[in-house]
Amino acid sequence: MSTNISGLNTLQDIRNMMEKSSRFISLSGWSGISAGICGLAGTWFAWQRINAFHAQANSASSQCIDCLKTDLLVIASLVFAAAFATAFFFTFLRSRRDGGVLWGPAARRLLWNTLFPMLAGGLVILRLVSLEQYDIIISVSLIFYGLALINGSRYTIGEVRYLGYAELATGLISLWLPELGLSLWAIGFGLLHIVYGIAMWWKYERTGN
Amino acid sequence: MMKNPIEHLNKIFDSRIRLGIMSALMVNESVNFNELKELIDVTDGNLATHVKTLEESGYIKVQKGFIGRKTNTTYSVTKAGEKAFKVHLDALEKMIRSIG
């Protein structure tokens, strides 16, 4: 009887260790929420900038499409950096609290498996900009981001996969609805992150567990 | 006559720490000393002793390298270690089934 219980405990220990060392489980729900807020703020800035551009188009002054391009790329980069930094911050706090391992093999694999597809997406977008194919940039960014999340979800909380599917679906829909581009962008990078973040916080962190 | 499953339990995996090291190495190509220390939550000396035992049994292999001037020792599981761990897990499973 007692060997049976110790056998069960041993199996549980093994399972815990395998989980802990292969999946990065400190990812905080707050990280999703903060990334979503950055996404919404970024969309708002981009929208302002595009409106300003169109207002100029109606006035006599000459349009500067390259200035718009540069500004939008700068906004996008800043949003990415801010979202990444705040997401990292909240995850850092959580791993401190849980006494988890922040930088280990699991974190490395998570970063590699999400950043690599995103890097490929970034190159595709730069090429699209140079080809002046602006219509599908938003779709492409959402699609690559979704694929990156699906790929990375094996190395962190499994539910990240569902966020990935949602991003991917949003991106595919926007392929046929380019006129809704910026709204779908706000949904994808803003709303979905916030909804996901709240759900994860509710499920894993609410009880302070 | 069914064989006693407990005889397949590996004495080397009796210790929680050694079991922890093996579990971590089974799902990672390699893990370095400090990462193992954090994962298992043990002192340097304690970890070093258990790592030595596993290494001497031929279950894990050690690669010594450098990151800058700091030594970076990484560990990975050997074929023999992988096999021994699986046998141990099977024995555990049988043991639980036989009683459960």
Side-chain angles (χ1 to χ4, degrees):
Chain A
M1 187 65 195
S2 70
T3 44
N4 191 23
I5 288 171
S6 77
L8 273 177
N9 286 342
T10 309
L11 280 183
Q12 257 160 12
D13 281 349
I14 294 171
R15 216 184 117 170
N16 279 343
M17 184 53 63
M18 285 180 165
E19 281 277 323
K20 209 160 107 181
S21 66
S22 63
R23 280 179 187 262
F24 183 74
I25 47 173
S26 296
L27 201 63
S28 167
W30 285 105
S31 296
I33 298 170
S34 69
I37 291 169
C38 293
L40 284 181
T43 313
W44 187 79
F45 281 119
W47 184 70
Q48 292 282 319
R49 185 63 188 84
I50 292 168
N51 276 351
F53 176 78
H54 289 310
Q56 252 175 23
N58 298 329
S59 71
S61 63
S62 64
Q63 285 175 284
C64 171
I65 183 82
D66 282 332
C67 310
L68 179 66
K69 264 197 238 178
T70 316
D71 286 0
L72 289 179
L73 281 178
V74 168
I75 290 172
S77 311
L78 287 177
V79 168
F80 179 78
F84 191 82
T86 57
F88 178 82
F89 174 73
F90 286 113
T91 291
F92 175 74
L93 287 189
R94 184 172 175 201
S95 87
R96 263 289 141 85
R97 208 190 56 196
D98 297 352
V101 184
L102 186 66
W103 186 244
R108 264 202 304 277
R109 272 189 295 192
L110 172 63
L111 266 189
W112 174 253
N113 281 284
T114 46
L115 287 182
F116 196 70
M118 276 160 77
L119 185 72
L123 289 175
V124 172
I125 289 169
L126 284 179
R127 185 68 185 126
L128 287 172
V129 169
S130 71
L131 292 171
E132 305 188 352
Q133 298 293 319
Y134 307 119
D135 283 353
I136 57 165
I137 285 178
I138 284 177
S139 317
V140 167
S141 63
L142 285 165
I143 289 167
F144 271 92
Y145 183 54
L147 293 174
L149 290 181
I150 294 168
N151 198 41
S153 68
R154 278 175 290 152
Y155 307 103
T156 182
I157 304 168
E159 286 88 344
V160 166
R161 198 168 70 242
Y162 301 113
L163 179 62
Y165 292 144
E167 301 284 356
L168 182 60
T170 313
L172 290 174
I173 291 168
S174 76
L175 275 177
W176 280 272
L177 298 168
E179 68 277 9
L180 288 181
L182 220 47
S183 318
L184 288 170
W185 172 283
I187 289 173
F189 288 109
L191 206 62
L192 288 178
H193 276 132
I194 294 174
V195 169
Y196 163 82
I198 292 172
M200 288 305 99
W201 177 82
W202 187 263
K203 189 167 173 190
Y204 294 113
E205 291 163 80
R206 181 173 44 119
T207 54
N209 166 31
Chain B
M1 180 74 188
M2 215 181 85
K3 268 201 277 179
N4 181 7
I6 295 176
E7 73 187 76
H8 288 284
L9 286 179
N10 194 328
K11 277 274 180 288
I12 294 191
F13 301 140
D14 255 358
S15 127
R16 260 182 90 103
I17 296 174
R18 289 198 287 270
L19 202 68
I21 298 169
M22 285 303 287
S23 310
L25 295 182
M26 285 295 284
V27 290
N28 289 285
E29 262 170 57
S30 69
V31 182
N32 73 29
F33 190 85
N34 287 328
E35 290 162 353
L36 272 181
K37 206 176 85 181
E38 270 191 79
L39 275 167
I40 301 167
D41 203 19
V42 281
T43 59
D44 280 23
N46 216 344
L47 180 59
T49 316
H50 289 291
V51 153
K52 191 99 193 136
T53 310
L54 287 170
E55 193 193 347
E56 280 165 358
S57 337
Y59 291 168
I60 66 174
K61 49 180 185 271
V62 182
Q63 295 97 22
K64 287 195 196 302
F66 284 90
I67 295 181
R69 285 192 173 176
K70 274 190 174 172
T71 52
N72 178 45
T73 310
T74 60
Y75 303 93
S76 49
V77 72
T78 61
K79 278 270 185 297
E82 210 170 296
K83 203 174 155 209
F85 192 71
K86 278 180 182 151
V87 169
H88 184 71
L89 280 187
D90 287 343
L92 273 176
E93 196 190 327
K94 280 199 191 108
M95 189 180 88
I96 290 165
R97 276 176 204 272
S98 69
I99 306 169

